[in-house]
């Protein structure tokens, strides 16, 4: 008696790749969206030295500048503050 064709080695490998991809997608989608930051500056007048965006109202840092832009955008994103 022969095995049904859906138990072939190629189908098992294909199914395991699909299963691995689904698990990987689930794990990636579970990441934390919040950005832990060291310093938040908002409601300020910041000179950026960037000709495309010479002035900004807010920025936040995590060892380097992560975001520069308007205060309402920084407050809307609500990054977690990790400072003192």
């Amino acid at each position: 008696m022969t095995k049904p064709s859906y138990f072939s080695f190629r189908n098992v490998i294909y199914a395991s790749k699909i299963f691995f991809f689904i698990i990987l997608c689930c794990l990636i989608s579970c990441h934390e969206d919040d950005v832990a930051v060291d310093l938040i500056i908002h409601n300020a007048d910041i000179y950026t030295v960037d000709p495309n965006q010479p002035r900004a109202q807010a920025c936040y840092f995590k060892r380097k500048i992560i975001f520069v832009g308007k205060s309402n955008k920084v407050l809307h994103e609500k990054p977690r503050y990790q400072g003192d």
Side-chain angles (χ1 to χ4, degrees), residues 35-52:
V35 176
V37 296
D38 295 327
L39 177 67
I40 300 171
I41 300 173
H42 64 92
N43 293 332
D45 186 21
I46 301 168
Y47 179 67
T48 64
V49 194
D50 180 7
N52 296 329

Side-chain angles (χ1 to χ4, degrees), residues 2-54:
T2 61
K3 293 181 183 177
S5 64
Y6 57 86
F7 281 118
S8 72
F9 182 74
R10 183 178 294 164
N11 288 342
V12 170
I13 295 296
Y14 182 73
S16 64
K17 286 181 181 180
I18 290 175
F19 178 75
F20 177 76
F21 179 75
I22 291 171
I23 296 298
L24 183 65
C25 289
C26 291
L27 291 175
I28 290 172
S29 68
C30 294
H31 78 282
E32 192 171 336
D33 290 335
D34 294 338
V35 176
V37 296
D38 295 327
L39 177 67
I40 300 171
I41 300 173
H42 64 92
N43 293 332
D45 186 21
I46 301 168
Y47 179 67
T48 64
V49 194
D50 180 7
N52 296 329
Q53 183 183 11

